[in-house]
């Protein structure tokens, strides 16, 4: 049911966005550029609107957004429910899953950190 609702929402947004791009190209260009400012995409001199702007609301855009949103459904954790078996990357660059590190009845401790 959640995937269906996400599909309907994303598809509606893409259809409306594509329609607005056709009817009001200059207004949509300003809107998309404003979104690029929020994500700081505009700060990269190698990116111009002509490179990435027209990809908004395309069929490939629809598929990408659906893939990301559906994947997030699998990775959500809820209180009182089992933890998701999320993919993780080892220091060697190997992709494993969280449950691969569990041993017998021992608790699994996750330690997150950041070095800059």
């Amino acid at each position: 049911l959640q995937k269906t609702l996400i599909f309907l929402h994303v598809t509606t947004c893409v259809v409306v966005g594509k329609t607005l791009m056709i009817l009001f190209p200059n207004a949509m260009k300003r809107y998309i550029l404003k979104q690029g400012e929020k994500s700081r995409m505009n700060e990269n001199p190698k990116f111009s609107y002509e490179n990435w702007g027209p990809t908004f609301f395309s069929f490939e855009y629809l598929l990408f957004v659906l893939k990301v949103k559906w994947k997030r459904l699998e990775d959500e954790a809820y209180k009182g429910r089992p933890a998701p078996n999320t993919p993780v990357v080892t220091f060697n660059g190997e992709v494993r899953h969280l449950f691969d590190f569990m041993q017998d009845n021992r608790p699994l401790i996750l330690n997150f950190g950041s070095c800059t």
Side-chain angles (χ1 to χ4, degrees), residues 87-97 100-101:
V88 293
V89 180
T90 67
F91 287 115
N92 300 333
E94 179 184 357
V95 177
R96 309 258 313 265
H97 284 84
D100 294 342
F101 299 97

Side-chain angles (χ1 to χ4, degrees), residues 77-83:
Y78 298 97
K79 184 176 180 179
R81 295 186 54 198

Side-chain angles (χ1 to χ4, degrees), residues 7-18:
F7 174 79
L8 291 173
H9 178 259
V10 172
T11 303
T12 302
C13 290
V14 169
V15 168
V16 169
K18 190 65 163 180

Side-chain angles (χ1 to χ4, degrees), residues 1 4-5 16-18 24 26 35 40 45 48 58 60-61 63 66-67 77 83 91 103-104 109 111:
L1 179 63
T4 303
L5 292 174
V16 169
K18 190 65 163 180
F24 309 103
N26 292 331
Q35 296 304 311
R40 297 185 1 203
S48 67
S58 65
E60 291 80 11
Y61 174 88
L63 294 179
L66 285 174
K67 179 181 173 183
F91 287 115
Q103 297 176 0
D104 301 320
I109 297 173
N111 184 13

Side-chain angles (χ1 to χ4, degrees), residues 61-80:
Y61 174 88
L62 170 69
L63 294 179
F64 176 76
V65 173
L66 285 174
K67 179 181 173 183
V68 169
K69 287 189 175 276
W70 285 345
K71 182 65 181 152
R72 285 186 183 163
L73 282 177
E74 299 168 7
D75 292 340
E76 289 185 21
Y78 298 97
K79 184 176 180 179

